[in-house]
Amino acid sequence: MSYIIELKAVNKVYGKGNNTVVALDYIDLAIPQRAFTTISGPSGSGKSTLLNIVGFLVAPTKGDIVFDNEKIEFDDFDTMADFRLQKLGFIFQSFNLIPVLSALENVMVPLMIRKDIGVDERKQRAEKLLTAVGLGDRARQRPDELSGGQKQRVAIARALVGEPKVILADEPTANLDTESTETILRIMRDINEQFGTAFIFSTHDPRVVNYAKQKVSLRDGRIVAN
Ligand code: ADP
């Protein structure tokens, strides 16, 4: 089995001296290629810390992260920023769309700083992905003209536009009703199967966990089920 991400004895401690919190307690975790993985657990169990480490936003205190067979050097800021841009897409619970931009322009945002992708290709990719998430006819609309579920579909297209290996989603269904949640999950599962993009979710939502191929459960910074 080949893995897209491996965490080896990863430990994360916040604070110093007598004031420390162990957020992750030497965890080992292997996330396969084409994963559809949920990370769940009670508040404070370490879900965000784990997602932030895997998103190269927070460095572990100890241990190694291997991404696509490459060991990550967290102290090299520029390489980390490039890596994040090229290899990862992000989806947030509050969508984080830019209000003054159209759906199409929002999807194009991650490509604005990609010198290797020309203007025409940016637009073509964004249009294709908006169609893939069922919003081909909403390209010109702004976020305030879209429902919550539609906003999250724009965010999924935006996360995909750089053709990342992995999409990290922080509670992506927290602000959605049941019907939109179903739609969003089906779209993400289709993309996972069609393009092989790996999805890693932090979530409390049993509907999301039901869709997962790998279910990781955290408690007090340790993996209790996987
Ligand atoms: P979850 O996402 O499951 O709620 P977190 O990863 O946010 O868990 O937090 C795990 C533990 O680490 C908690 O005890 C939390 O208070 C602590 N923690 C998280 N981030 C910080 C931080 N920046 N500084 C200090 N403690 C933190």
Side-chain angles (χ1 to χ4, degrees):
M1 169 93 83
S2 63
Y3 298 104
I4 184 71
I5 299 171
E6 290 169 274
L7 287 86
K8 299 181 175 176
V10 167
N11 172 257
K12 178 68 190 178
V13 180
Y14 291 107
K16 285 211 162 74
N18 292 333
N19 247 334
T20 57
V21 177
V22 177
L24 292 176
D25 195 4
Y26 294 98
I27 64 167
D28 291 298
L29 178 64
I31 299 177
Q33 302 275 355
R34 311 176 78 90
F36 209 77
T37 297
T38 49
I39 297 163
S40 42
S43 184
S45 59
K47 301 182 297 295
S48 308
T49 302
L50 178 51
L51 211 66
N52 286 337
I53 287 177
V54 169
F56 316 133
L57 296 163
V58 165
T61 307
K62 288 191 180 141
D64 288 331
I65 314 293
V66 179
F67 188 100
D68 213 9
N69 295 316
E70 196 176 327
K71 184 168 167 267
I72 301 302
E73 304 296 346
F74 279 86
D75 43 8
D76 183 347
F77 184 82
D78 289 342
T79 310
M80 294 309 307
D82 264 1
F83 214 74
R84 213 178 291 129
L85 199 63
Q86 311 259 357
K87 310 256 185 188
L88 297 176
F90 294 89
I91 298 173
F92 307 93
Q93 55 176 289
S94 48
F95 323 125
N96 293 12
L97 300 180
I98 299 174
V100 295
L101 299 183
S102 69
L104 186 74
E105 289 163 339
N106 265 286
V107 177
M108 288 163 67
V109 163
L111 301 183
M112 295 298 178
I113 39 177
R114 289 277 297 263
K115 295 195 181 74
D116 53 326
I117 302 172
V119 177
D120 289 347
E121 190 186 342
R122 290 177 193 169
K123 191 154 175 255
Q124 278 162 16
R125 277 203 205 180
E127 279 168 348
K128 189 172 139 223
L129 285 168
L130 274 181
T131 304
V133 298
L135 292 178
D137 56 347
R138 302 291 167 110
R140 308 273 156 226
Q141 281 172 293
R142 286 205 314 266
D144 64 359
E145 300 168 311
L146 300 171
S147 70
Q150 288 169 335
K151 283 186 203 140
Q152 198 58 307
R153 284 195 261 162
V154 174
I156 293 171
R158 179 184 57 187
L160 280 164
V161 80
E163 299 181 348
K165 295 250 178 179
V166 176
I167 290 186
L168 299 174
D170 182 13
E171 302 263 4
T173 60
N175 291 315
L176 299 181
D177 59 33
T178 302
E179 199 185 323
S180 304
T181 295
E182 273 297 316
T183 309
I184 295 293
L185 285 169
R186 212 167 357 88
I187 288 171
M188 292 195 280
R189 231 359 238 277
D190 283 351
I191 289 162
N192 172 253
E193 272 156 27
Q194 213 181 316
F195 303 122
T197 316
F199 282 80
I200 304 171
F201 303 90
S202 87
T203 189
H204 286 292
D205 187 340
R207 295 168 301 188
V208 182
V209 179
N210 270 339
Y211 261 79
K213 296 190 247 178
Q214 180 186 34
K215 306 170 209 281
V216 178
S217 192
L218 283 178
R219 196 158 301 235
D220 298 330
R222 295 191 182 150
I223 294 177
V224 289
N226 177 15

